[in-house]
Amino acid sequence: MNADLEYRLGGKSESIYKSEGERKIAHFLDQSNIGYHYEPAVIVHADQGKPRIWYPDFYLHEFKTYLEYFGMADDRHYDQGIKAKQSAYKKAGLDVISIYPWMFRENWQGYIMKELERTTLNRYRNLMGKTYWSKANQSLTSYRKLTGYGGRNLKGY
């Protein structure tokens, strides 16, 4: 209990992770200077839409993305839970990167970074597709025409 409190207050402790896989992931995130929260509370609607509090393994606040380590994959009962979790996360609109034990035999760090890049770019594309961006660009064009100002300095917009 004290280790969990210490972690949540910022004094990370190696002993708090529930598995060797989670410890490896935390070490990678620390070495990569990627800030995270361990097991943050998240409200999801599972079990016929009832709200539940779940605790995904990691939340990478800079990326607005969760990492979920499924350390007991390949167990039939556990695999059903994996599917239910992934479905609930998707319905909640959460970006979650799933990590499995067999991934540690490959370039799992590269996989995490590639998925973070993918989710970040998707979020950016979704934002840029919003109508307010086209309105903002129209306003900037009108401003330039009316004033004759800002052609060089505002060109990046």
Side-chain angles (χ1 to χ4, degrees), residues 62-63 65 95 113-129:
E62 187 175 6
F63 296 95
T65 300
D95 288 323
M113 295 308 296
K114 193 69 173 170
E115 287 298 298
L116 287 174
E117 177 183 30
R118 184 185 62 76
T119 58
T120 301
L121 288 173
N122 282 344
R123 191 174 298 108
Y124 173 77
R125 286 184 192 107
N126 288 338
L127 282 171
M128 294 310 292

Side-chain angles (χ1 to χ4, degrees), residues 46-145:
D47 302 327
Q48 293 84 33
K50 295 178 185 174
R52 299 277 188 235
I53 297 176
W54 283 355
Y55 300 89
D57 297 317
F58 300 92
Y59 177 65
L60 312 182
H61 43 84
E62 187 175 6
F63 296 95
K64 295 180 176 51
T65 300
Y66 295 87
L67 298 181
E68 185 73 82
Y69 176 61
F70 295 112
M72 295 184 352
D74 287 337
D75 173 273
R76 190 168 44 117
H77 180 70
Y78 189 80
D79 287 349
Q80 290 172 344
I82 291 173
K83 289 177 184 176
K85 273 188 169 182
Q86 290 173 329
S87 175
Y89 288 147
K90 186 174 184 171
K91 286 178 186 174
L94 302 176
D95 288 323
V96 179
I97 298 170
S98 298
I99 303 166
Y100 301 91
W102 58 83
M103 293 178 149
F104 292 118
R105 292 187 293 250
E106 300 172 5
N107 182 12
W108 60 274
Q109 299 99 330
Y111 165 76
I112 290 172
M113 295 308 296
K114 193 69 173 170
E115 287 298 298
L116 287 174
E117 177 183 30
R118 184 185 62 76
T119 58
T120 301
L121 288 173
N122 282 344
R123 191 174 298 108
Y124 173 77
R125 286 184 192 107
N126 288 338
L127 282 171
M128 294 310 292
K130 302 286 184 182
T131 56
Y132 49 78
W133 287 115
S134 61
K135 291 178 184 176
N137 285 335
Q138 291 171 357
S139 297
L140 180 60
T141 302
S142 298
Y143 173 76
R144 286 180 181 163
K145 286 180 183 177

Side-chain angles (χ1 to χ4, degrees), residues 14-64:
E14 290 291 318
S15 63
I16 64 163
Y17 303 106
K18 293 180 181 170
S19 69
E20 178 63 16
E22 287 181 5
R23 190 201 58 74
K24 285 180 181 180
I25 294 166
H27 181 73
F28 166 69
L29 296 173
D30 288 337
Q31 293 297 312
S32 301
N33 292 317
I34 297 174
Y36 62 90
H37 294 291
Y38 181 64
E39 294 190 334
V42 176
I43 296 176
V44 296
H45 294 279
D47 302 327
Q48 293 84 33
K50 295 178 185 174
R52 299 277 188 235
I53 297 176
W54 283 355
Y55 300 89
D57 297 317
F58 300 92
Y59 177 65
L60 312 182
H61 43 84
E62 187 175 6
F63 296 95
K64 295 180 176 51

